[in-house]
Amino acid sequence: MRQYIKKQCLATLDTLNEAHEDIASIFKAGNMGATMELLEQCQQGAISIGEVIEEHEGEGTKAVRLLEKYCERVYELYGQIERGETVNIRQAVRQFRGMLDKVTNELNNTIPTQREVVFLPYKASMWDSLESMWRISKDDKGTTAVVVPIPYYDKNPDGSFREIHYEIDLFPADVPVVRYDRYDLAKRHPDTVIIHNPYDECNYVTSVDPMFYTKELKKHTDELIYIPYFILGDIDPYDPDALMGVKHFVLTPGVIHADRVIVESEDMKKVYVDILTAHSSSKLRKQWEQKISGLGSPKVERVINLRYEDFDMPESWEKLIYTEDGTKKKVILYNTSVNAAIKYGADMLAKIRRSLCIFKKYEGKIVLIWRPHPLTEATIKAMYPGLWDGYHEVIEGYRNAGWGIYDDSPDMHMAIAVSDAYYGDESSVAWLYKKTGKPIMIQECDRKGDL
């Protein structure tokens, strides 16, 4: 039986026991009509519990048999009162309580509990932030793990919604997915909902469908967990400037509304707690400390175990990466971030052009994999629409030239695994890349010279 359903049954049993005390008081006050009406309501309540148990556990359970005996005794007392017979109301109430205690014991100790945990990713490329927790959940016999990809919208410069995206077909083949319009959150009321997008309406570039904003999700689950899709890197929790730089990642609706937030380290937990406490009140510090957990990011677990031999590399990649005798060339992962696009605008575009020109000079000796952040195009359209044509021209020119690889796949891990070094923006990808032990070099978008 679902944990949520069992809780409802137990709550109804508690209500029935409270009603028993009311029955005794009303009876003693001499209001036989109200007493009989309340007895009838208790009988209907017990019947509803029995129907729920049979719906989820089938017929013949001991709990239902006990409820049937309770209903018989309630009906018997109803008849005695109706006929004006002498009734020991206190004895009857004690009997009711004892019978329902046995039902409660059956529910708690005999009928197994099944938790339902639903994962609500919005971009397939960010699934790695939830994947390891999903695998743990699906392997737990007491848990039903459901992956429900949700739609999101690009935004216009005025904040209105533009085009809708739904990436259900881009998730790994071994991850069973359910369409969002075939999973009724209100009806299913999963015990736990896990998300990786914290922004609700506060993101300038994209928005998940408003029905999946965290304030709405809270209405339909007992526990909302937020795991960031990004890694903020090595932030000194004692550096005020560093805290200011990540404040906008912390003060989000997802963090505020979630029951639990899981971040990449204990240092990052302190960063979150300090920012949240400063934004609210020192009296709430203990609350934030209980909510934020520094258990680690699933993204890190995935990266440190990567091997390029484990990936089914596209033929177009293999032709560029391997020579005719099978020797692997040196491969550079060139990562451009959405933050750089926001911060530098035209300078970012100029830097990409210069970088690609330099890498092209070494064509034949090295292979470049250019992987922009998945939201770069949407960001430019929303915040720098005048740059879109130039950016699109750079992409198409690079792809058509054929000397490098343009990686817009939903999974960044093959690019990380096959590459020998990282070049690009300082971002969560750079921080993750460090975990591989391979060299990295950070580009500076406002620098006009070489790499």
Side-chain angles (χ1 to χ4, degrees), residues 111-135:
I111 295 178
T113 300
Q114 189 76 12
R115 295 178 66 250
E116 183 158 302
V117 179
V118 61
F119 295 80
L120 300 179
Y122 82 113
K123 283 195 69 66
S125 60
M126 298 170 182
W127 168 242
D128 60 339
S129 62
L130 304 179
E131 184 176 12
S132 65
M133 183 165 283
W134 167 72
R135 294 192 181 279

Side-chain angles (χ1 to χ4, degrees), residues 141-434:
K141 293 181 180 179
T143 300
T144 300
V146 187
V147 180
V148 183
I150 60 177
Y152 69 95
Y153 297 87
D154 292 335
K155 282 187 173 183
N156 292 309
D158 64 0
S160 60
F161 290 172
R162 193 167 67 246
E163 57 187 309
I164 189 172
H165 301 275
Y166 192 49
E167 301 187 356
I168 190 170
D169 295 330
L170 300 180
F171 282 78
D174 65 336
V175 180
V177 290
V178 177
R179 282 189 59 89
Y180 72 98
D181 50 5
R182 295 180 183 172
Y183 185 92
D184 191 331
L185 271 171
K187 184 177 180 180
R188 295 288 288 268
H189 196 99
D191 302 287
T192 301
V193 170
I194 304 179
I195 61 170
H196 62 186
N197 184 315
Y199 296 112
D200 290 359
E201 72 277 12
C202 299
N203 191 318
Y204 295 113
V205 178
T206 62
S207 171
V208 299
D209 191 290
M211 74 174 78
F212 298 107
Y213 285 172
T214 52
K215 59 189 174 187
E216 296 299 321
L217 296 177
K218 287 281 286 184
K219 300 174 184 178
H220 307 306
T221 185
D222 295 335
E223 181 184 42
L224 179 62
I225 297 178
Y226 163 53
I227 303 174
Y229 66 79
F230 49 81
I231 298 290
L232 292 178
D234 301 316
I235 306 296
D236 183 354
Y238 300 98
D239 181 351
D241 291 335
L243 296 185
M244 184 60 66
V246 298
K247 184 178 178 180
H248 61 288
F249 291 108
V250 178
L251 299 177
T252 60
V255 174
I256 303 301
H257 292 143
D259 299 293
R260 291 175 59 203
V261 178
I262 301 175
V263 297
E264 61 261 37
S265 66
E266 286 299 317
D267 277 351
M268 189 55 64
K269 172 181 177 175
K270 177 172 171 51
V271 168
Y272 270 67
V273 170
D274 286 350
I275 291 174
L276 289 164
T277 301
H279 183 70
S280 55
S281 166
S282 59
K283 296 179 180 179
L284 297 178
R285 186 175 188 88
K286 187 173 182 180
Q287 172 186 312
W288 299 126
E289 288 176 340
Q290 292 172 342
K291 172 185 282 198
I292 312 298
S293 171
L295 289 176
S297 171
K299 297 173 77 73
V300 177
E301 297 175 30
R302 177 82 189 275
V303 164
I304 60 178
N305 294 312
L306 288 178
R307 297 189 317 154
Y308 73 84
E309 294 89 349
D310 296 333
F311 290 90
D312 186 13
M313 195 181 301
E315 184 178 349
S316 59
W317 286 36
E318 289 186 344
K319 287 181 178 180
L320 288 173
I321 291 174
Y322 292 97
T323 62
E324 291 184 359
D325 64 3
T327 303
K328 180 177 175 291
K329 300 175 186 176
K330 291 296 181 183
V331 180
I332 306 297
L333 171 58
Y334 180 38
N335 173 66
T336 51
S337 73
V338 71
N339 284 338
I342 293 172
K343 183 176 181 180
Y344 296 108
D347 286 341
M348 177 274 299
L349 181 56
K351 180 64 177 182
I352 291 174
R353 285 194 175 105
R354 291 196 303 274
S355 296
L356 293 179
C357 285
I358 292 170
F359 280 116
K360 190 178 187 309
K361 293 178 182 178
Y362 297 91
E363 178 184 357
K365 295 182 179 179
I366 65 170
V367 176
L368 186 71
I369 301 177
W370 178 20
R371 183 178 175 85
H373 188 284
L375 292 176
T376 302
E377 290 190 15
T379 299
I380 292 174
K381 288 179 180 178
M383 302 185 71
Y384 298 103
L387 295 180
W388 169 244
D389 288 342
Y391 182 70
H392 183 67
E393 179 184 338
V394 171
I395 292 175
E396 291 305 303
Y398 175 75
R399 298 181 78 159
N400 293 333
W403 59 268
I405 296 167
Y406 184 79
D407 182 16
D408 59 355
S409 67
D411 187 356
M412 68 177 175
H413 295 97
M414 182 164 63
I416 293 176
V418 75
S419 60
D420 300 291
Y422 172 99
Y423 176 72
D425 296 322
E426 188 169 9
S427 66
S428 60
V429 178
W431 190 87
L432 280 172
Y433 204 93
K434 286 182 183 178

